[in-house]
Amino acid sequence: MTTDQLDVAKPKAHGPDFALFLVIGVALLVLAALYPAARVVDAYFDSKRPLYDDVSEMAWIQYNYYQLEGEAYPIEVQGGQSVTVGDQTYAVNPGVELAVRATEDGWCIKGHDDHGNSGDWCFPGDVDPGNPN
């Protein structure tokens, strides 16, 4: 008998199934590693939500008042307090403070919260800021 006649099992090469499982495994590891970072980023943006919600609501209330009276309604409101502007009442989220000042052509809202987020937003009286509801 010669060696070319022997039935010797040849080692099986890694086929496309192995490569697919390897790619899926690496992708899952990357996703697992990114999950904590995504949670941190999400928490950061969620901390700003109450401030932006209050500014948006106050801009809408001031716009409605401006349309009726032709001027803004200057106020300062602390977190958790309610404020009535014209016929609309709004309770500011806890931890958020807003101050509205009138300008020549509209109003500006200065706000900050307990998380250190702050901003100063100005609106012209003839431009609808959009109903946040």
Side-chain angles (χ1 to χ4, degrees), residues 10 13-14 23 31 44 46 51 59 66 78 89-90 92 96 100 106 115 121 126-127:
K10 295 180 184 177
H14 298 295
V23 168
L31 287 175
Y44 172 75
D46 275 350
L51 174 63
Y66 194 93
Q78 305 294 317
T89 300
Y90 182 69
V92 177
V96 176
V100 178
H115 299 286
W121 298 268
D126 60 346
V127 177

Side-chain angles (χ1 to χ4, degrees), residues 84-106:
T84 301
V85 178
D87 62 348
Q88 294 178 305
T89 300
Y90 182 69
V92 177
N93 283 302
V96 176
E97 296 180 15
L98 298 178
V100 178
R101 63 179 165 77
T103 62
E104 288 181 12
D105 64 342

Side-chain angles (χ1 to χ4, degrees), residues 22-95:
L22 183 64
V23 168
I24 290 172
V26 168
L28 289 174
L29 287 175
V30 168
L31 287 175
L34 290 177
Y35 182 74
R39 300 263 313 177
V40 168
V41 170
D42 185 50
Y44 172 75
F45 286 110
D46 275 350
S47 75
K48 294 182 174 193
R49 182 169 295 150
L51 174 63
Y52 294 136
D53 287 348
D54 286 342
V55 168
S56 179
E57 184 70 29
M58 185 56 64
W60 175 249
I61 291 170
Q62 289 289 338
Y63 173 75
N64 290 330
Y65 186 83
Y66 194 93
Q67 295 306 304
L68 293 173
E69 302 296 328
E71 62 184 359
Y73 187 84
I75 54 168
E76 289 187 25
V77 62
Q78 305 294 317
Q81 293 180 337
S82 293
V83 62
T84 301
V85 178
D87 62 348
Q88 294 178 305
T89 300
Y90 182 69
V92 177
N93 283 302

